[in-house]
């Protein structure tokens, strides 16, 4: 695993949007914007000179549709990850982004907290993959965002039932750990307490938030890095 920052390229034809994305990307520890461009042609030329780790890609570019550019990138640079940032809300564009392997899809106007949280999730996924040689189903669920908080919210509180990915014994341990915690805690800290992976700890914490047993707060620390911290209500 390398300690170098995650190199980011921004492909966007709105100069103001570029500045906003660049500014907030640098607020997340471990990211560095190394190039920006406003056209697909320039983007391909830049990618052929150096290969970024992550591209923030608009769909509406002056010379090519962003989803078509995504497939061009996939032809030669499969190791480059892409997050779509766009006003496009049609099903065809979203479907094409999924088929093209986009890590995430953010719709304009951008909600800054969502933008920052997506970068944190990307970094977490990338670091986890770099540190693992094999994975468990829980890890895979996390990578593909299965059993996310939104999915857990829907009708999971039937008597005696739990959603997939939530084990009653592990849930009991998490609840007991949180009962003993007087201050807010993040997923990494909880994972160390009861010996689970970061992704497992976060899934259970988000489940408890969805069930209104806990509350979550976003802490930006001293350098603006967003962090999700949980406390019992």
């Amino acid at each position: 695993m390398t300690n170098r920052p995650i190199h980011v390229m921004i492909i966007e034809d709105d100069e103001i949007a570029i500045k906003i994305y660049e500014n907030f990307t640098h607020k997340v520890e471990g990211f560095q914007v190394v190039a920006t461009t406003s056209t697909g042609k320039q983007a391909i030329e830049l990618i052929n000179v150096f290969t970024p780790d992550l591209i923030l890609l608009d769909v509406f570019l002056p010379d090519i549709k962003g989803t078509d550019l995504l497939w061009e990138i996939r032809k030669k640079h499969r190791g480059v990850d892409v997050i779509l940032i766009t006003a496009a809300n049609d099903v065809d564009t979203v479907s094409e982004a999924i088929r093209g392997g986009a890590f995430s899809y953010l719709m304009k106007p951008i909600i800054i907290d969502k933008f920052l949280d997506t970068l944190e999730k990307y970094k977490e996924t990338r670091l986890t993959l770099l540190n693992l040689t094999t994975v468990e189903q829980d890890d895979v669920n996390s990578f593909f965002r299965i059993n996310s908080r939104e999915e857990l919210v829907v009708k999971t509180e039937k008597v005696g039932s739990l959603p997939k990915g939530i084990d009653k014994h592990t849930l009991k341990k998490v609840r007991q750990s949180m009962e003993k915690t007087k201050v807010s805690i993040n997923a990494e800290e909880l994972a160390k307490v009861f010996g689970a992976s970061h992704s497992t700890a976060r899934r259970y914490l988000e489940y408890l938030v969805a069930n209104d047993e806990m509350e979550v707060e976003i802490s930006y620390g001293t350098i603006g890095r967003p962090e999700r911290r949980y406390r019992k209500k």
Side-chain angles (χ1 to χ4, degrees), residues 14-220:
D14 185 331
E15 289 296 328
I16 295 176
I18 288 176
K19 293 298 182 184
I20 292 172
Y21 303 157
E22 188 170 9
N23 179 54
F24 281 98
T25 297
H26 285 150
K27 286 184 177 293
V28 184
E29 184 179 344
F31 286 85
Q32 179 183 3
V33 176
V34 294
T36 66
T37 180
S38 59
T39 69
K41 180 181 179 181
Q42 291 174 350
I44 291 296
E45 291 174 352
L46 285 171
I47 295 170
N48 287 332
V49 173
F50 75 95
T51 305
D53 303 304
L54 175 66
I55 292 175
L56 305 182
L57 174 63
D58 187 15
V59 169
F60 299 116
L61 299 173
D63 58 342
I64 186 174
K65 189 174 182 181
T67 46
D68 292 334
L69 180 57
L70 172 59
W71 286 110
E72 287 297 314
I73 293 169
R74 285 283 169 265
K75 288 179 183 178
K76 295 182 179 179
H77 307 282
R78 294 189 180 184
V80 177
D81 295 308
V82 177
I83 294 175
L84 271 292
I85 304 179
T86 178
N89 61 357
D90 60 286
V91 173
D92 288 343
T93 300
V94 175
S95 299
E96 193 73 1
I98 293 172
R99 286 192 290 269
F103 179 82
S104 188
Y105 192 106
L106 300 177
M107 294 184 63
K108 296 179 180 179
I110 291 298
I111 299 172
I112 295 303
D113 282 349
K114 177 64 176 176
F115 178 85
L116 297 174
D117 189 51
T118 299
L119 291 185
E120 285 288 355
K121 287 178 179 177
Y122 171 76
K123 181 173 68 173
E124 176 186 324
T125 300
R126 178 181 172 86
L127 290 176
T128 301
L129 286 169
L130 285 172
N131 283 297
L132 291 177
T133 53
T134 60
V135 296
E136 299 178 358
Q137 186 63 54
D138 284 348
D139 297 309
V140 175
N141 290 346
S142 176
F143 298 149
F144 286 92
R145 295 174 291 286
I146 300 169
N147 294 329
S148 65
R149 179 187 172 190
E150 290 77 11
E151 293 173 301
L152 294 174
V153 170
V154 285
K155 300 172 184 168
T156 60
E157 285 304 293
K158 296 178 181 178
V159 177
S161 68
L162 288 171
K164 291 181 179 180
I166 300 294
D167 172 73
K168 66 178 182 180
H169 300 295
T170 304
L171 182 60
K172 182 178 179 180
K173 289 182 180 179
V174 173
R175 281 176 170 145
Q176 289 174 341
S177 296
M178 294 309 298
E179 285 285 351
K180 299 175 183 178
T181 303
K182 304 301 180 183
V183 297
S184 63
I185 190 172
N186 62 28
E188 183 177 357
E189 291 165 346
L190 178 64
K192 292 178 180 178
V193 170
F194 74 104
S197 68
H198 180 281
S199 59
T200 297
R202 177 158 180 165
R203 183 171 67 256
Y204 280 85
L205 287 168
E206 292 290 350
Y207 173 78
L208 292 174
V209 171
N211 280 348
D212 205 32
E213 296 180 48
M214 297 180 59
E215 58 187 6
V216 63
E217 59 187 32
I218 304 295
S219 172
Y220 291 92

